[in-house]
Amino acid sequence: MNRSHAALSVLGAVGLLLPVAPLSLAAPAEQAVPVLNGDFADPVMKGDGPTTVGIDFWTGLNQRYSPTASGRTDGSHGVALQKDGNTLQQRLRGVRAGARVTVSYEDSPAVSKECTGEQVVNGQPYAVTGSGGPVQEVTTAGDPDRAKGTPGKGRWTGRAYVFTAGENDPMLTFTSRVTDSRTHVTCSPMVARIRAVEVPPALDKTVDKTRLGTSEAYKGNERESTLHNAAAACNGENACTFRPDTRMSFRYYDKARVVGEAFVNCTRNTLEHSRLLSYSERSHDSIAQTYAAAGLPLNEVARLPTSGVRAEDEKRLKERPMAAQFALAHENTWQRPWQWFSSDERTVVERIQPGEVSWVELQPSRERVEGWFVSKKDDYRLHAVIDGPSRAVPDRLLQRTGPMSEAEKQRCAAARPMTTTPVGADAPASTSDKGLLKTSAPTATAARSVHRSMPLN
């Protein structure tokens, strides 16, 4: 039997072994990743194409074909990537760094009537990559027997690309590799029906509330250099909606801290007394911490009620729209109110044995929520992590007694403060002063006479 098993046996024998849930050996489940406009249906197009109008939520001007012209029966549109170096891009919303992402899609050689047979007979090259992942070079299926002036019917092939995200909201990019200068701009490889799933990274609950990470801001698919524009876009009552990521949000007990003083009993008797304890909790947020880490003053529009000063936080609570947007989203998601700060008082009775110390520790219940402030037009997105006192479970107050430390023992053994005796400090006590003082005789209201008469017989 190894030491850990022996220790568990001993704890179980004395009734201290808590029930432990069995560890799951199953792999983490895949979760869907939102690919916005993955069928390339928006904006609505007229005719069969090709058109070069920008595709909603995607970056890059590409040639778009209707489902009919693309040779598809599922209603999704086909997009041709044009010539070498042209890209089609979108950031995968909500994917965190370290996630294992699988992108599924279909490709086909061009259906454009401008293609010659030799340009599509052996397929057409392109590349796909995700932030942090390898560049995957791909060639579509070939389309033999094509002649210029005759549209293709599409030879769609299912593909998959797997990568580990190297950043939050990784960029998915399709890049044309068609290099022949004689190739018509519409005669290029096509993609359709983009989908994605992920295995999210393990949730790290050890991150301290004062180091919540760096907040990020995006406008569409482009990362913003500062948080200011995104925060300003949310500076209105209904300008933004906070979308919590429930996968990355959790409740926990914070580190224990001593509340009030430690009471040391240096006497030979048991002491019993009561005392009043006061304690309070504040919130923290990654937006303010990002400004601080960059050495920048916190912009007015980005101030949440997390300063730690009660009066200031009450003011921000009333004036900052982002605070209301976050609190509303929290209550709608978890069906309980959010609190930015809390305080309480407790009276505890202490019974301290001789030679012991008494103190009280607090383990506050806290809650961490990660998510996004998203503008109504979905153009600006601001990532935030907010950590505050929780209403879901109670705080823990631990009333404790224990033996003195060596320093406390030395303090208890120290002599009490005394002043000096400058004259005769080492001489014996002098003789009694009895008889040196003149004292008056006691008096009483019913004192008897000192003379007595005796009757004669």
Side-chain angles (χ1 to χ4, degrees):
M1 180 180 293
N2 62 32
R3 291 186 179 181
S4 60
H5 288 168
L8 291 176
S9 300
V10 172
L11 289 174
V14 297
L16 296 179
L17 183 59
L18 299 178
V20 178
L23 295 177
S24 174
L25 299 179
E30 286 187 337
Q31 301 176 7
V33 173
V35 179
L36 304 182
N37 196 23
D39 290 332
F40 306 118
D42 297 316
V44 176
M45 66 181 292
K46 296 179 180 180
D48 287 333
T51 63
T52 55
V53 176
I55 304 171
D56 289 356
F57 303 109
W58 294 88
T59 300
L61 293 178
N62 298 273
Q63 303 292 322
R64 185 167 59 137
Y65 292 79
S66 71
T68 300
S70 301
R72 300 191 61 82
T73 59
D74 60 358
S76 61
H77 296 61
V79 173
L81 301 176
Q82 297 194 25
K83 287 190 176 184
D84 184 38
N86 188 65
T87 59
L88 176 69
Q89 296 180 306
Q90 183 180 137
R91 287 194 178 274
L92 301 179
R93 269 75 163 170
V95 175
R96 313 308 295 153
R100 187 74 170 171
V101 183
T102 301
V103 179
S104 60
Y105 65 98
E106 296 179 36
D107 68 11
S108 170
V111 297
S112 171
K113 64 182 180 180
E114 301 295 336
C115 294
T116 64
E118 63 178 352
Q119 290 171 337
V120 294
V121 65
N122 295 318
Q124 293 181 295
Y126 68 95
V128 58
T129 186
S131 301
V135 177
Q136 183 168 295
E137 301 290 346
V138 189
T139 300
T140 68
D143 193 1
D145 305 323
R146 283 279 298 280
K148 187 173 182 179
T150 303
K153 297 181 179 180
R155 291 180 174 268
W156 293 98
T157 304
R159 305 285 187 183
Y161 170 66
V162 181
F163 72 101
T164 298
E167 63 176 344
N168 298 331
D169 277 29
M171 185 79 84
L172 175 65
T173 304
F174 295 91
T175 306
S176 174
R177 293 287 196 239
V178 175
T179 59
D180 190 343
S181 61
R182 296 171 299 172
T183 301
H184 192 275
V185 68
T186 61
C187 186
S188 54
M190 302 177 68
V191 293
R193 202 175 185 277
I194 316 297
R195 301 289 188 269
V197 295
E198 67 163 331
V199 177
L203 178 59
D204 185 1
K205 296 184 179 182
T206 64
V207 176
D208 191 83
K209 60 183 179 294
T210 61
R211 295 177 176 85
L212 296 175
T214 302
S215 287
E216 302 157 331
Y218 299 89
K219 185 176 183 181
N221 292 318
E222 300 302 318
R223 186 193 297 272
E224 293 279 278
S225 59
T226 70
L227 307 182
H228 174 73
N229 290 338
C234 293
N235 194 30
E237 184 176 354
N238 296 310
C240 285
T241 300
F242 185 80
R243 298 176 183 172
D245 186 347
T246 56
R247 306 168 307 167
M248 310 302 289
S249 303
F250 60 95
R251 301 192 305 267
Y252 70 100
Y253 278 111
D254 204 359
K255 298 175 184 177
R257 69 174 189 265
V258 176
V259 180
E261 300 82 11
F263 201 106
V264 183
N265 185 1
C266 291
T267 73
R268 295 182 176 87
N269 303 309
T270 300
L271 297 180
E272 186 172 317
H273 71 112
S274 62
R275 60 166 159 164
L276 182 66
L277 296 175
S278 300
Y279 52 93
S280 61
E281 287 292 302
R282 54 167 292 196
S283 292
H284 300 264
D285 76 272
S286 62
I287 297 175
Q289 292 173 14
T290 300
Y291 274 87
L296 299 173
L298 183 60
N299 195 280
E300 180 70 25
V301 295
R303 293 179 180 176
L304 292 172
T306 59
S307 71
V309 179
R310 185 67 174 260
E312 170 65 18
D313 287 340
E314 289 176 343
K315 180 172 180 269
R316 293 183 184 183
L317 186 58
K318 296 177 182 177
E319 297 178 354
R320 295 274 65 83
M322 288 172 65
Q325 293 160 11
F326 174 82
L328 177 61
H330 179 276
E331 186 164 359
N332 288 341
T333 302
W334 284 282
Q335 298 299 304
R336 62 177 181 271
W338 173 263
Q339 59 180 358
W340 293 96
F341 37 78
S342 67
S343 59
D344 207 349
E345 290 184 339
R346 288 286 186 273
T347 298
V348 298
V349 177
E350 295 177 305
R351 185 178 177 85
I352 315 169
Q353 300 298 327
E356 286 195 336
V357 184
S358 172
W359 70 98
V360 176
E361 294 178 359
L362 169 68
Q363 269 193 293
S365 165
R366 297 189 66 86
E367 193 162 0
R368 186 167 301 174
V369 178
E370 181 171 340
W372 297 85
F373 288 96
V374 182
S375 66
K376 289 298 183 182
K377 295 181 180 179
D378 201 24
D379 49 357
Y380 280 107
R381 305 191 313 282
L382 175 58
H383 175 261
V385 183
I386 297 172
D387 190 298
S390 176
R391 287 182 173 179
V393 292
D395 296 332
R396 285 175 177 160
L397 278 175
L398 293 84
Q399 188 169 345
R400 302 184 61 182
T401 59
M404 296 181 189
S405 68
E406 289 302 318
E408 288 164 341
K409 290 178 181 178
Q410 292 174 11
R411 182 64 257 166
C412 285
R416 62 190 175 91
M418 295 288 288
T419 189
T420 60
T421 304
V423 178
D426 56 351
S430 61
T431 58
S432 171
D433 59 1
K434 185 176 180 180
L436 297 180
L437 297 179
K438 182 179 181 181
T439 59
S440 59
T443 59
T445 56
R448 290 182 297 173
S449 172
V450 296
H451 301 290
R452 257 177 22 179
S453 59
M454 301 291 292
L456 296 176
N457 292 328

